[in-house]
Amino acid sequence: MANTSNSETNKEPEAEALKPVANDSAGIKTNETNANHHPTPQIEKKQHRSIYRPSHKATFVGLSVVVAILAINAIVLEFLLNNTNTNNKAPINKGVSISPAVLSKLGVNSSQIGNANEQLTVDPKALFNSGLTVAGNVKIGGALHINSAFSASAANLNQLQASNSTINNLNVNGNSTESNLSIRGKLAVQGPSTFQNTLTVGQILSVDNNAAIANNLSIGGELTANTIAASNLILSGTFVFGSHIQTNGLPPSVGPGSTALGSNGNVTISGNDASGTLTINIGTGATNGILARVAFHSPYTSMPRIVITPVGIGANFYLTGISVNGFSVAVTDGGSGLPPGGYSINYIVEQ
């Protein structure tokens, strides 16, 4: 019953059909039923049109529908805006994107853009018509091409590849490998230098200090030296001396021979293993025999060849006891030895 009453209450009133009525001048309606009687005047009541008032439930449903439509419109609008921003947004690497209007100011003022914690990413090519000063470090991921001169107070390069470079002062602390190195000026090497292959010098090689060569030294042309000190000097061809031959070395030892020196006689030696002089003092009662026994300071590797020359005396001196370790000088002068006095005998030894 309640539902029926609510439906009737919510039903809109039907339109009322208007009928003509007979009105008198006073506006009083005459009742047809009482036509024969005295008419009873009746004042006609105006019928008011009823006003429609929806229920609370209908109001809540209507508001819910409106709110739902507004929410759908907001979601669709946000999706369209996000899609438009995504298409127009340039990809950045967690950095700061600077608009063209701000980038145009880089060449006309010195305004600071961003801070130290931000990253400036420039995707297109950048052209700086004037100088570029970078206060901090610069890291270049790709190749660096410089059309003009490269100037740096200090450069630390893991690998340098240059086709044509001019370096006024090069300080290499570690190892350096060059395929072809051409030096027009002076090359000063303070530490030891090792040449593992052939060293070719087109002009004069000047060595101010000592030169130590551990292996063979082959000289195709002329060797000019003020002094050559060698433990062993091997010459396969002719050895031509343009001046004096001077031997050097420690002197050998010498000892007296037999009774050929006589009473109170003695012998001394000066020189070295290659050449020298024996000084002999003959005492009284000398006889023929060995005057001196010479022992080399350094033995020869094979039997040497020895030549002796007496100085100022025509006695018969001869060699005996020749070996790699030394030799002896003897005398024979008729039936007796040398007369008392001093004598000198030069010797030359060659192997």
Side-chain angles (χ1 to χ4, degrees), residues 21 68 71 74 93 164 256 277:
V21 294
N93 185 17
N164 187 7
T277 301

Side-chain angles (χ1 to χ4, degrees), residues 27-269:
I28 302 174
K29 183 178 178 181
T30 305
N31 189 354
E32 294 178 355
T33 308
N34 299 322
N36 296 323
H37 299 281
H38 295 284
T40 301
Q42 297 180 353
I43 301 174
E44 184 180 1
K45 297 181 180 180
K46 294 184 179 180
Q47 296 182 357
H48 297 281
R49 189 179 183 89
S50 62
I51 300 174
Y52 172 73
R53 291 184 178 87
S55 64
H56 295 288
K57 181 177 182 181
T59 303
F60 177 75
V61 172
L63 291 176
S64 300
V65 172
V66 172
V67 171
I69 293 174
L70 292 177
I72 293 173
N73 291 336
I75 293 173
V76 173
L77 181 60
E78 182 179 2
F79 174 77
L80 294 176
L81 292 176
N82 291 335
N83 190 21
T84 304
N85 293 333
T86 303
N87 294 333
N88 296 332
K89 186 185 296 182
I92 59 176
N93 185 17
K94 297 181 180 180
V96 179
S97 178
I98 305 301
S99 63
V102 176
L103 289 177
S104 63
K105 298 179 181 180
L106 293 177
V108 297
N109 59 27
S110 59
S111 300
Q112 181 178 357
I113 299 177
N115 52 46
N117 296 325
E118 296 178 350
Q119 179 179 355
L120 175 62
T121 302
V122 181
D123 288 337
K125 295 182 179 179
L127 176 62
F128 298 93
N129 294 326
S130 185
L132 174 63
T133 302
V134 180
N137 299 329
V138 176
K139 183 178 181 181
I140 300 175
L144 176 62
H145 299 278
I146 301 175
N147 297 327
S148 184
F150 173 70
S151 177
S153 58
N156 186 5
L157 304 175
N158 294 330
Q159 182 178 0
L160 175 62
Q161 182 179 358
S163 58
N164 187 7
S165 301
T166 301
I167 302 175
N168 295 329
N169 188 4
L170 177 63
N171 186 6
V172 180
N173 295 325
N175 298 330
S176 177
T177 302
E178 290 82 14
S179 299
N180 294 307
L181 179 61
S182 178
I183 301 175
R184 292 188 298 270
K186 181 180 180 181
L187 174 63
V189 181
Q190 296 180 358
S193 299
T194 302
F195 298 93
Q196 298 179 356
N197 210 325
T198 304
L199 175 63
T200 302
V201 180
Q203 296 294 327
I204 297 175
L205 174 62
S206 178
V207 180
D208 295 336
N209 210 326
N210 299 331
I213 300 174
N215 212 325
N216 299 331
L217 174 63
S218 178
I219 301 174
E222 181 180 354
L223 174 62
T224 302
N226 294 330
T227 302
I228 298 177
S231 300
N232 294 315
L233 182 61
I234 300 175
L235 303 174
S236 59
T238 303
F239 195 11
V240 179
F241 294 94
S243 185
H244 305 287
I245 299 176
Q246 181 179 354
T247 61
N248 192 15
L250 296 175
S253 60
V254 63
S258 59
T259 56
L261 291 177
S263 178
N264 297 326
N266 59 60
V267 59
T268 58
I269 191 171

Side-chain angles (χ1 to χ4, degrees), residues 258-303:
S258 59
T259 56
L261 291 177
S263 178
N264 297 326
N266 59 60
V267 59
T268 58
I269 191 171
S270 62
N272 48 60
D273 288 348
S275 63
T277 301
L278 289 171
T279 301
I280 301 172
N281 293 316
I282 302 297
T284 59
T287 62
N288 294 331
I290 297 175
L291 298 172
R293 301 180 187 274
V294 179
F296 297 129
H297 181 271
S298 298
Y300 284 87
T301 58
S302 61
M303 190 68 69

Side-chain angles (χ1 to χ4, degrees), residues 312-328:
I313 188 174
N316 295 324
F317 296 94
Y318 62 93
L319 294 169
T320 183
I322 300 175
S323 68
V324 295
N325 296 317
F327 60 93
S328 297

